[in-house]
């Protein structure tokens, strides 16, 4: 997600997809089928866990930026992506695709001191 404007639309789309395709067959023979909701939660969790712990520029960002303006743009892009994903999680919660427990855990992690 790079645009938070579309979070509501994406959440609506995921709700419809979840109703149309509640389960997918197992990838391997003898394996258990995978639910749309579980795959969605796994994707949201992995995206959340890939976020940096702070908004400070990473060494990779510093190395790839040609100027301080480029670095500021990269940091702003990361911040917008993080905020868009948080907004999407809120919309998924409102549509009952993620539970209150997940939202509480996320908020607690975001409010916890870094370090």
């Amino acid at each position: 997600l790079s645009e938070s404007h579309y979070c509501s639309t994406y959440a609506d789309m995921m709700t419809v997809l979840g109703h149309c395709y509640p389960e997918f067959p197992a990838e391997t023979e003898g394996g258990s089928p995978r639910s749309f909701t579980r795959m969605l939660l796994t994707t949201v969790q992995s995206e959340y866990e890939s976020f940096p712990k702070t908004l400070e520029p990473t060494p990779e960002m510093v190395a790839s930026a040609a100027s301080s303006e480029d670095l500021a743009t990269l940091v702003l892009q990361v911040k917008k992506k993080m905020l868009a994903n948080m907004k999407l999680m809120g919309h998924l919660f409102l549509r009952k695709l993620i539970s209150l427990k997940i939202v509480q855990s996320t908020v607690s992690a975001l409010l916890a001191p870094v370090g």
Side-chain angles (χ1 to χ4, degrees), residues 24 42 55 67-68 78 86 89 98 111:
F24 294 95
T42 301
L55 290 176
S67 67
S68 61
V78 169
M86 293 297 107
M89 287 179 68
I98 61 175
L111 295 176

Side-chain angles (χ1 to χ4, degrees), residues 73-88:
T73 301
L74 289 172
V75 170
L76 183 61
Q77 288 173 345
V78 169
K79 183 178 179 179
K80 283 184 177 183
K81 185 175 181 179
M82 290 173 67
L83 292 173
N85 278 286
M86 293 297 107
K87 187 173 179 181
L88 176 63

Side-chain angles (χ1 to χ4, degrees), residues 10-68:
Y10 293 147
D12 289 338
M13 180 179 64
M14 290 176 205
T15 302
V16 171
L17 286 171
H19 290 295
C20 292
Y21 305 102
E23 271 194 356
F24 294 95
E27 288 182 347
T28 60
E29 193 166 325
S32 60
R34 298 173 299 149
S35 74
F36 177 84
T37 304
R38 175 55 45 205
M39 291 183 347
L40 175 63
L41 291 176
T42 301
T43 303
V44 169
Q45 180 179 5
S46 66
E47 186 67 24
Y48 172 75
E49 289 174 351
S50 72
F51 292 152
K53 301 298 178 212
T54 68
L55 290 176
E56 295 298 319
T58 63
E60 294 84 17
M61 293 168 80
V62 172
S64 68
S67 67
S68 61

